[in-house]
Amino acid sequence: MHLSVVYRYLGEFHDPLAEVKYGRENNPTTMLLERVLSCIEETRYGLAFNTGMAALSALFHEAVSRGKRVLVSRLVYGSTRQLAEKLLGKGLLLAGPPWDELLALIEKVDMVLVETMANPTLRVPPLPEISRECTRSDCILVVDNTFATPVIYRPSSLGAVVVESLTKYISGHNDVLGGFIGSVDEELHRSLWEWRRLLGSILQPVDAYLAYRGLKTLEVRVKQASETAMRLAQWLEESGLVEKVYYPGLPSHPDHSTASKLFGGTYGGVLSFDTGSSERAKRVLQRLRGIMPGPSLGAVDSIASYPFTSSHRWLSDEEKKRLGITPGLVRLSVGLESFEYLRDELSLVLRES
Ligand SMILES: *Cc1c(COP(=O)(O)O)cnc(C)c1O
């Protein structure tokens, strides 16, 4: 790990993207992480940012500065949608789910942003169809792959630009903030590098090191969490303790068939369930002892959250209703605790609430 922000440099200008001279431009530890992550995501180029939002900011700045129109799924990470609304203004179109609504608008835009699995209802867009439409109308497809990770899906297989919040599964221990963009287009890569330099949003070396270390266990963590989440989702659905369960691995999920085709039987570590009312959801969160209530996801410890007034609080009540973000909804990010431990905890708390 190299902590220095200043490196020997004689003032000759060759290729700034490859040179290490000043920490706001490049640093060797971050460059190592970028090389490894772009191998894993199978993208030619990779850039690491100090947060997932910083990565998305660079992309949106690139789109705005070139006067591009961007189509964003209505159901994306709350802050992503807020940033898009603030930065893109009239250049922003919001559509889908339903996914046909989004597919129909692709010909009108220059860039499309969707998430592989969109929180909190874990909707999965038909990525191959979206990619085909994007190719046909010469439009850049950007896929935020944070919930799936490259263990479950590689958007680069469709030629998409990949975004990851390293904060979640990639680092995996709730001790790093970071973001990543993987792409195959050199011109785009160079522009995003310039935005990162100008916005001052490069990933710092300690965080790059920790994210790199997280990668070593990424596959076992994601597979284990997915297996436990699948069992919990099945158990919850059959238990009669909640009104509804949202998990793409369940046949009852609206995008189950797409998810089965794309993900090869591993559906991620996040599920949501509807407790029936905001009062009951709040009681559940208050009474949890072995699962922490809080924001974020993708760590070794399970976390429960309340999307209605936290991650999606900026949406109008009408928009929340349209997207199925109900007052009784609780989201659970499953960690590495055993299935039995989590089942017993949920069973107890749901019976008491
Ligand atoms: C967390 C998250 C982000 C933002 O990442 P930060 O590292 O918190 O800035 C973006 N997209 C998705 C899907 C996320 O879960």
Side-chain angles (χ1 to χ4, degrees):
M1 182 168 51
H2 299 266
L3 293 177
S4 181
V5 297
V6 177
Y7 294 84
R8 183 179 157 82
Y9 173 62
L10 298 173
E12 290 157 26
F13 202 70
H14 300 292
D15 180 4
L17 273 74
E19 291 162 3
V20 179
K21 51 186 185 291
Y22 184 53
R24 182 156 44 74
E25 300 181 350
N26 284 326
N27 81 69
T29 315
T30 302
M31 289 164 98
L32 172 68
L33 175 73
E34 288 168 347
R35 275 200 299 281
V36 176
L37 260 177
S38 47
C39 277
I40 295 173
E41 293 278 9
E42 293 176 8
T43 56
R44 183 186 295 258
Y45 304 105
L47 286 174
F49 293 79
N50 56 9
T51 61
M53 289 312 299
L56 288 157
S57 303
L59 266 169
F60 290 154
H61 274 101
E62 170 67 10
V64 172
S65 68
R66 296 188 189 265
K68 289 190 191 300
R69 303 196 74 193
V70 186
L71 175 60
V72 178
S73 162
R74 289 180 176 279
L75 192 67
V76 285
Y77 184 71
S79 301
T80 303
R81 180 159 163 181
Q82 261 198 308
L83 183 71
E85 285 172 1
K86 281 186 193 286
L87 270 183
L88 300 170
K90 288 195 165 51
L92 171 68
L93 262 75
L94 288 165
W99 302 118
D100 286 350
E101 191 185 292
L102 184 129
L103 281 164
L105 287 176
I106 292 177
E107 59 181 15
K108 293 195 185 341
V109 298
D110 311 289
M111 188 188 274
V112 175
L113 170 66
V114 292
E115 294 177 0
T116 329
M117 278 185 245
N119 154 53
T121 49
L122 289 315
R123 296 295 307 261
V124 179
L127 292 170
E129 278 98 317
I130 294 174
S131 158
R132 224 172 293 134
E133 277 304 308
C134 286
T135 308
R136 203 191 345 233
S137 53
D138 200 18
C139 167
I140 299 174
L141 173 60
V142 181
V143 178
D144 181 333
N145 199 40
T146 302
F147 275 59
T149 80
V151 175
I152 294 177
Y153 190 70
R154 284 188 181 81
S156 63
S157 62
L158 298 171
V161 175
V162 187
V163 176
E164 293 271 359
S165 164
L166 305 177
T167 314
K168 316 293 169 52
Y169 287 101
I170 304 247
S171 60
H173 295 73
N174 281 341
D175 53 7
V176 175
L177 286 167
F180 176 78
I181 302 178
S183 62
V184 291
D185 179 334
E186 185 177 355
E187 205 182 308
L188 177 67
H189 171 68
R190 288 184 170 272
S191 294
L192 293 172
W193 184 87
E194 282 294 350
W195 279 114
R196 187 182 72 174
R197 178 177 74 84
L198 295 171
L199 295 168
S201 55
I202 187 173
L203 185 71
Q204 293 301 296
V206 175
D207 300 318
Y209 168 76
L210 287 171
Y212 173 76
R213 195 169 66 175
L215 279 175
K216 292 175 193 280
T217 55
L218 178 68
E219 185 164 354
V220 280
R221 285 186 287 106
V222 170
K223 287 189 170 158
Q224 184 62 45
S226 298
E227 194 188 309
T228 311
M230 183 78 213
R231 291 178 69 191
L232 279 174
Q234 284 168 334
W235 166 76
L236 265 174
E237 193 169 57
E238 283 163 18
S239 71
L241 290 169
V242 297
E243 308 266 309
K244 192 165 170 52
V245 182
Y246 298 88
Y247 186 66
L250 293 176
S252 59
H253 189 277
D255 298 320
H256 176 65
S257 76
T258 305
S260 305
K261 275 184 225 135
L262 299 182
F263 303 156
T266 306
Y267 299 97
V270 182
L271 60 101
S272 294
F273 52 86
D274 198 329
T275 59
S277 69
S278 68
E279 293 74 22
R280 184 159 184 240
K282 283 173 191 163
R283 281 198 299 274
V284 168
L285 286 169
Q286 249 158 22
R287 287 178 183 163
L288 285 171
R289 287 287 171 271
I291 299 172
M292 192 178 81
S296 202
L297 62 122
V300 292
D301 307 298
S302 293
I303 292 181
S305 70
Y306 184 57
F308 197 77
T309 56
S310 61
S311 53
H312 293 77
R313 68 177 176 275
W314 298 281
L315 298 177
S316 67
D317 284 354
E318 190 192 349
E319 185 71 349
K320 281 191 256 199
K321 195 167 173 190
R322 177 215 289 255
L323 297 174
I325 304 167
T326 53
L329 203 66
V330 171
R331 186 190 78 187
L332 180 66
S333 166
V334 176
L336 298 185
E337 303 91 341
S338 71
F339 163 72
E340 290 77 14
Y341 172 86
L342 294 169
R343 179 201 57 197
D344 292 350
E345 168 82 0
L346 287 173
S347 173
L348 186 73
V349 167
L350 285 165
R351 276 174 222 281
E352 277 177 353
S353 306

mmCIF file of all heavy atoms in Angstrom, residues 73-106:
data_model
loop_
_atom_site.group_PDB
_atom_site.id
_atom_site.type_symbol
_atom_site.label_atom_id
_atom_site.label_comp_id
_atom_site.label_asym_id
_atom_site.label_seq_id
_atom_site.Cartn_x
_atom_site.Cartn_y
_atom_site.Cartn_z
ATOM 1 N N SER A 73 -33.975 4.282 -14.934
ATOM 2 C CA SER A 73 -35.104 3.539 -14.377
ATOM 3 C C SER A 73 -35.655 4.293 -13.170
ATOM 4 O O SER A 73 -34.896 4.846 -12.375
ATOM 5 C CB SER A 73 -34.642 2.141 -13.958
ATOM 6 O OG SER A 73 -35.584 1.576 -13.067
ATOM 7 N N ARG A 74 -36.976 4.303 -13.042
ATOM 8 C CA ARG A 74 -37.590 4.949 -11.869
ATOM 9 C C ARG A 74 -37.127 4.292 -10.579
ATOM 10 O O ARG A 74 -37.083 4.907 -9.529
ATOM 11 C CB ARG A 74 -39.117 4.800 -11.933
ATOM 12 C CG ARG A 74 -39.759 5.623 -12.991
ATOM 13 C CD ARG A 74 -41.267 5.418 -12.983
ATOM 14 N NE ARG A 74 -41.858 6.307 -13.954
ATOM 15 C CZ ARG A 74 -42.111 7.591 -13.725
ATOM 16 N NH1 ARG A 74 -41.871 8.119 -12.552
ATOM 17 N NH2 ARG A 74 -42.625 8.338 -14.670
ATOM 18 N N LEU A 75 -36.842 2.986 -10.706
ATOM 19 C CA LEU A 75 -36.464 2.233 -9.508
ATOM 20 C C LEU A 75 -34.951 2.034 -9.496
ATOM 21 O O LEU A 75 -34.435 1.010 -9.934
ATOM 22 C CB LEU A 75 -37.182 0.878 -9.490
ATOM 23 C CG LEU A 75 -37.087 0.128 -8.164
ATOM 24 C CD1 LEU A 75 -37.841 0.853 -7.066
ATOM 25 C CD2 LEU A 75 -37.620 -1.292 -8.300
ATOM 26 N N VAL A 76 -34.249 3.071 -9.009
ATOM 27 C CA VAL A 76 -32.809 2.933 -8.781
ATOM 28 C C VAL A 76 -32.544 3.383 -7.352
ATOM 29 O O VAL A 76 -33.431 3.914 -6.676
ATOM 30 C CB VAL A 76 -31.950 3.768 -9.766
ATOM 31 C CG1 VAL A 76 -31.912 3.135 -11.141
ATOM 32 C CG2 VAL A 76 -32.404 5.218 -9.823
ATOM 33 N N TYR A 77 -31.331 3.184 -6.924
ATOM 34 C CA TYR A 77 -30.880 3.632 -5.600
ATOM 35 C C TYR A 77 -31.354 5.078 -5.379
ATOM 36 O O TYR A 77 -31.211 5.921 -6.276
ATOM 37 C CB TYR A 77 -29.360 3.521 -5.585
ATOM 38 C CG TYR A 77 -28.705 3.836 -4.282
ATOM 39 C CD1 TYR A 77 -28.826 2.970 -3.200
ATOM 40 C CD2 TYR A 77 -27.946 4.990 -4.137
ATOM 41 C CE1 TYR A 77 -28.201 3.269 -1.996
ATOM 42 C CE2 TYR A 77 -27.315 5.285 -2.944
ATOM 43 C CZ TYR A 77 -27.453 4.418 -1.878
ATOM 44 O OH TYR A 77 -26.838 4.702 -0.696
ATOM 45 N N GLY A 78 -31.922 5.348 -4.211
ATOM 46 C CA GLY A 78 -32.540 6.652 -3.943
ATOM 47 C C GLY A 78 -31.638 7.837 -4.274
ATOM 48 O O GLY A 78 -32.054 8.779 -4.958
ATOM 49 N N SER A 79 -30.380 7.806 -3.830
ATOM 50 C CA SER A 79 -29.485 8.946 -4.076
ATOM 51 C C SER A 79 -29.115 9.062 -5.552
ATOM 52 O O SER A 79 -28.868 10.159 -6.049
ATOM 53 C CB SER A 79 -28.208 8.810 -3.242
ATOM 54 O OG SER A 79 -28.514 8.748 -1.879
ATOM 55 N N THR A 80 -29.082 7.936 -6.256
ATOM 56 C CA THR A 80 -28.784 7.984 -7.699
ATOM 57 C C THR A 80 -29.873 8.763 -8.415
ATOM 58 O O THR A 80 -29.605 9.629 -9.250
ATOM 59 C CB THR A 80 -28.720 6.550 -8.279
ATOM 60 O OG1 THR A 80 -27.735 5.813 -7.567
ATOM 61 C CG2 THR A 80 -28.385 6.565 -9.755
ATOM 62 N N ARG A 81 -31.117 8.451 -8.065
ATOM 63 C CA ARG A 81 -32.230 9.140 -8.723
ATOM 64 C C ARG A 81 -32.228 10.626 -8.368
ATOM 65 O O ARG A 81 -32.445 11.478 -9.218
ATOM 66 C CB ARG A 81 -33.545 8.471 -8.322
ATOM 67 C CG ARG A 81 -34.716 9.146 -8.963
ATOM 68 C CD ARG A 81 -35.932 8.283 -9.023
ATOM 69 N NE ARG A 81 -37.075 9.159 -9.288
ATOM 70 C CZ ARG A 81 -38.316 8.743 -9.378
ATOM 71 N NH1 ARG A 81 -38.588 7.464 -9.231
ATOM 72 N NH2 ARG A 81 -39.292 9.588 -9.627
ATOM 73 N N GLN A 82 -31.936 10.930 -7.094
ATOM 74 C CA GLN A 82 -31.878 12.341 -6.676
ATOM 75 C C GLN A 82 -30.800 13.106 -7.422
ATOM 76 O O GLN A 82 -31.013 14.214 -7.887
ATOM 77 C CB GLN A 82 -31.528 12.393 -5.198
ATOM 78 C CG GLN A 82 -32.695 12.586 -4.275
ATOM 79 C CD GLN A 82 -32.172 13.063 -2.932
ATOM 80 O OE1 GLN A 82 -31.275 12.431 -2.365
ATOM 81 N NE2 GLN A 82 -32.707 14.144 -2.438
ATOM 82 N N LEU A 83 -29.618 12.482 -7.529
ATOM 83 C CA LEU A 83 -28.507 13.137 -8.234
ATOM 84 C C LEU A 83 -28.855 13.335 -9.712
ATOM 85 O O LEU A 83 -28.587 14.397 -10.276
ATOM 86 C CB LEU A 83 -27.230 12.291 -8.099
ATOM 87 C CG LEU A 83 -25.990 12.904 -8.739
ATOM 88 C CD1 LEU A 83 -25.510 14.125 -7.942
ATOM 89 C CD2 LEU A 83 -24.854 11.884 -8.844
ATOM 90 N N ALA A 84 -29.456 12.322 -10.317
ATOM 91 C CA ALA A 84 -29.843 12.433 -11.726
ATOM 92 C C ALA A 84 -30.819 13.591 -11.894
ATOM 93 O O ALA A 84 -30.689 14.403 -12.819
ATOM 94 C CB ALA A 84 -30.465 11.127 -12.212
ATOM 95 N N GLU A 85 -31.790 13.697 -10.977
ATOM 96 C CA GLU A 85 -32.781 14.769 -11.088
ATOM 97 C C GLU A 85 -32.110 16.132 -10.935
ATOM 98 O O GLU A 85 -32.404 17.071 -11.665
ATOM 99 C CB GLU A 85 -33.897 14.579 -10.051
ATOM 100 C CG GLU A 85 -34.840 13.449 -10.479
ATOM 101 C CD GLU A 85 -35.883 13.059 -9.423
ATOM 102 O OE1 GLU A 85 -35.908 13.677 -8.334
ATOM 103 O OE2 GLU A 85 -36.667 12.130 -9.706
ATOM 104 N N LYS A 86 -31.156 16.247 -10.003
ATOM 105 C CA LYS A 86 -30.490 17.529 -9.777
ATOM 106 C C LYS A 86 -29.540 17.905 -10.909
ATOM 107 O O LYS A 86 -29.479 19.045 -11.326
ATOM 108 C CB LYS A 86 -29.695 17.500 -8.466
ATOM 109 C CG LYS A 86 -30.571 17.697 -7.234
ATOM 110 C CD LYS A 86 -29.682 17.797 -5.990
ATOM 111 C CE LYS A 86 -30.472 17.676 -4.712
ATOM 112 N NZ LYS A 86 -31.262 18.865 -4.393
ATOM 113 N N LEU A 87 -28.758 16.941 -11.394
ATOM 114 C CA LEU A 87 -27.712 17.265 -12.371
ATOM 115 C C LEU A 87 -28.207 17.278 -13.809
ATOM 116 O O LEU A 87 -27.742 18.059 -14.616
ATOM 117 C CB LEU A 87 -26.567 16.247 -12.280
ATOM 118 C CG LEU A 87 -25.417 16.529 -11.325
ATOM 119 C CD1 LEU A 87 -24.366 15.434 -11.454
ATOM 120 C CD2 LEU A 87 -24.780 17.883 -11.608
ATOM 121 N N LEU A 88 -29.125 16.382 -14.139
ATOM 122 C CA LEU A 88 -29.480 16.215 -15.548
ATOM 123 C C LEU A 88 -30.633 17.121 -15.980
ATOM 124 O O LEU A 88 -30.772 17.415 -17.164
ATOM 125 C CB LEU A 88 -29.827 14.754 -15.853
ATOM 126 C CG LEU A 88 -28.697 13.747 -15.589
ATOM 127 C CD1 LEU A 88 -29.214 12.319 -15.693
ATOM 128 C CD2 LEU A 88 -27.547 13.947 -16.561
ATOM 129 N N GLY A 89 -31.440 17.555 -15.026
ATOM 130 C CA GLY A 89 -32.548 18.473 -15.352
ATOM 131 C C GLY A 89 -33.393 17.956 -16.501
ATOM 132 O O GLY A 89 -33.889 16.829 -16.459
ATOM 133 N N LYS A 90 -33.524 18.786 -17.542
ATOM 134 C CA LYS A 90 -34.377 18.416 -18.689
ATOM 135 C C LYS A 90 -33.791 17.282 -19.516
ATOM 136 O O LYS A 90 -34.473 16.694 -20.356
ATOM 137 C CB LYS A 90 -34.620 19.638 -19.579
ATOM 138 C CG LYS A 90 -35.552 20.650 -18.939
ATOM 139 C CD LYS A 90 -36.045 21.642 -19.996
ATOM 140 C CE LYS A 90 -37.230 22.443 -19.505
ATOM 141 N NZ LYS A 90 -37.036 23.076 -18.188
ATOM 142 N N GLY A 91 -32.512 16.971 -19.291
ATOM 143 C CA GLY A 91 -31.883 15.874 -20.030
ATOM 144 C C GLY A 91 -32.221 14.503 -19.463
ATOM 145 O O GLY A 91 -31.745 13.489 -19.960
ATOM 146 N N LEU A 92 -33.038 14.490 -18.388
ATOM 147 C CA LEU A 92 -33.359 13.215 -17.729
ATOM 148 C C LEU A 92 -34.752 12.729 -18.111
ATOM 149 O O LEU A 92 -35.722 13.484 -18.077
ATOM 150 C CB LEU A 92 -33.301 13.393 -16.200
ATOM 151 C CG LEU A 92 -33.813 12.209 -15.369
ATOM 152 C CD1 LEU A 92 -32.894 11.003 -15.496
ATOM 153 C CD2 LEU A 92 -33.954 12.602 -13.899
ATOM 154 N N LEU A 93 -34.820 11.456 -18.452
ATOM 155 C CA LEU A 93 -36.111 10.779 -18.628
ATOM 156 C C LEU A 93 -36.165 9.643 -17.623
ATOM 157 O O LEU A 93 -35.181 8.918 -17.458
ATOM 158 C CB LEU A 93 -36.201 10.170 -20.037
ATOM 159 C CG LEU A 93 -36.945 10.953 -21.112
ATOM 160 C CD1 LEU A 93 -36.090 12.113 -21.574
ATOM 161 C CD2 LEU A 93 -37.235 10.044 -22.284
ATOM 162 N N LEU A 94 -37.301 9.483 -16.957
ATOM 163 C CA LEU A 94 -37.466 8.377 -15.999
ATOM 164 C C LEU A 94 -38.512 7.419 -16.554
ATOM 165 O O LEU A 94 -39.562 7.853 -17.019
ATOM 166 C CB LEU A 94 -37.944 8.910 -14.651
ATOM 167 C CG LEU A 94 -36.923 9.684 -13.802
ATOM 168 C CD1 LEU A 94 -37.637 10.459 -12.702
ATOM 169 C CD2 LEU A 94 -35.874 8.752 -13.210
ATOM 170 N N ALA A 95 -38.218 6.127 -16.520
ATOM 171 C CA ALA A 95 -39.224 5.153 -16.996
ATOM 172 C C ALA A 95 -38.944 3.759 -16.449
ATOM 173 O O ALA A 95 -37.788 3.365 -16.274
ATOM 174 C CB ALA A 95 -39.238 5.107 -18.515
ATOM 175 N N GLY A 96 -40.010 3.025 -16.191
ATOM 176 C CA GLY A 96 -39.929 1.631 -15.814
ATOM 177 C C GLY A 96 -39.440 1.395 -14.406
ATOM 178 O O GLY A 96 -38.711 2.229 -13.884
ATOM 179 N N PRO A 97 -39.799 0.272 -13.769
ATOM 180 C CA PRO A 97 -40.714 -0.725 -14.284
ATOM 181 C C PRO A 97 -42.157 -0.211 -14.306
ATOM 182 O O PRO A 97 -42.434 0.698 -13.534
ATOM 183 C CB PRO A 97 -40.566 -1.870 -13.268
ATOM 184 C CG PRO A 97 -40.063 -1.234 -12.013
ATOM 185 C CD PRO A 97 -39.298 -0.028 -12.427
ATOM 186 N N PRO A 98 -43.019 -0.753 -15.184
ATOM 187 C CA PRO A 98 -42.811 -1.880 -16.085
ATOM 188 C C PRO A 98 -41.739 -1.617 -17.140
ATOM 189 O O PRO A 98 -41.584 -0.494 -17.616
ATOM 190 C CB PRO A 98 -44.201 -2.059 -16.729
ATOM 191 C CG PRO A 98 -44.917 -0.788 -16.536
ATOM 192 C CD PRO A 98 -44.386 -0.191 -15.289
ATOM 193 N N TRP A 99 -41.032 -2.682 -17.484
ATOM 194 C CA TRP A 99 -39.843 -2.538 -18.321
ATOM 195 C C TRP A 99 -40.158 -2.171 -19.759
ATOM 196 O O TRP A 99 -39.326 -1.556 -20.439
ATOM 197 C CB TRP A 99 -38.986 -3.811 -18.252
ATOM 198 C CG TRP A 99 -38.572 -4.126 -16.845
ATOM 199 C CD1 TRP A 99 -38.895 -5.238 -16.127
ATOM 200 C CD2 TRP A 99 -37.779 -3.309 -15.965
ATOM 201 N NE1 TRP A 99 -38.352 -5.161 -14.856
ATOM 202 C CE2 TRP A 99 -37.666 -3.991 -14.733
ATOM 203 C CE3 TRP A 99 -37.156 -2.074 -16.096
ATOM 204 C CZ2 TRP A 99 -36.956 -3.480 -13.642
ATOM 205 C CZ3 TRP A 99 -36.449 -1.555 -15.014
ATOM 206 C CH2 TRP A 99 -36.351 -2.255 -13.816
ATOM 207 N N ASP A 100 -41.365 -2.488 -20.248
ATOM 208 C CA ASP A 100 -41.741 -2.103 -21.619
ATOM 209 C C ASP A 100 -41.719 -0.587 -21.783
ATOM 210 O O ASP A 100 -41.366 -0.066 -22.834
ATOM 211 C CB ASP A 100 -43.169 -2.594 -21.942
ATOM 212 C CG ASP A 100 -43.179 -4.091 -22.171
ATOM 213 O OD1 ASP A 100 -42.074 -4.674 -22.268
ATOM 214 O OD2 ASP A 100 -44.280 -4.679 -22.241
ATOM 215 N N GLU A 101 -42.096 0.097 -20.693
ATOM 216 C CA GLU A 101 -42.107 1.557 -20.698
ATOM 217 C C GLU A 101 -40.688 2.083 -20.930
ATOM 218 O O GLU A 101 -40.475 3.021 -21.695
ATOM 219 C CB GLU A 101 -42.627 1.977 -19.316
ATOM 220 C CG GLU A 101 -42.973 3.418 -19.144
ATOM 221 C CD GLU A 101 -43.344 3.693 -17.675
ATOM 222 O OE1 GLU A 101 -44.400 3.198 -17.218
ATOM 223 O OE2 GLU A 101 -42.563 4.376 -16.986
ATOM 224 N N LEU A 102 -39.707 1.447 -20.297
ATOM 225 C CA LEU A 102 -38.317 1.860 -20.449
ATOM 226 C C LEU A 102 -37.796 1.508 -21.848
ATOM 227 O O LEU A 102 -37.183 2.339 -22.525
ATOM 228 C CB LEU A 102 -37.471 1.185 -19.370
ATOM 229 C CG LEU A 102 -36.000 1.579 -19.308
ATOM 230 C CD1 LEU A 102 -35.609 1.979 -17.887
ATOM 231 C CD2 LEU A 102 -35.083 0.461 -19.757
ATOM 232 N N LEU A 103 -38.105 0.279 -22.307
ATOM 233 C CA LEU A 103 -37.635 -0.156 -23.630
ATOM 234 C C LEU A 103 -38.119 0.793 -24.729
ATOM 235 O O LEU A 103 -37.388 1.113 -25.659
ATOM 236 C CB LEU A 103 -38.129 -1.583 -23.911
ATOM 237 C CG LEU A 103 -37.340 -2.702 -23.228
ATOM 238 C CD1 LEU A 103 -38.135 -4.018 -23.239
ATOM 239 C CD2 LEU A 103 -35.983 -2.905 -23.905
ATOM 240 N N ALA A 104 -39.359 1.277 -24.575
ATOM 241 C CA ALA A 104 -39.953 2.111 -25.623
ATOM 242 C C ALA A 104 -39.286 3.478 -25.742
ATOM 243 O O ALA A 104 -39.402 4.137 -26.773
ATOM 244 C CB ALA A 104 -41.447 2.280 -25.347
ATOM 245 N N LEU A 105 -38.570 3.911 -24.706
ATOM 246 C CA LEU A 105 -37.987 5.265 -24.739
ATOM 247 C C LEU A 105 -36.507 5.285 -25.126
ATOM 248 O O LEU A 105 -35.915 6.352 -25.268
ATOM 249 C CB LEU A 105 -38.169 5.927 -23.371
ATOM 250 C CG LEU A 105 -39.591 6.377 -23.040
ATOM 251 C CD1 LEU A 105 -39.667 6.918 -21.619
ATOM 252 C CD2 LEU A 105 -40.063 7.446 -24.026
ATOM 253 N N ILE A 106 -35.906 4.104 -25.271
ATOM 254 C CA ILE A 106 -34.454 4.059 -25.513
ATOM 255 C C ILE A 106 -34.050 4.820 -26.775
ATOM 256 O O ILE A 106 -33.030 5.509 -26.798
ATOM 257 C CB ILE A 106 -33.952 2.591 -25.532
ATOM 258 C CG1 ILE A 106 -34.085 1.999 -24.122
ATOM 259 C CG2 ILE A 106 -32.503 2.502 -26.029
ATOM 260 C CD1 ILE A 106 -33.697 0.546 -23.997
#
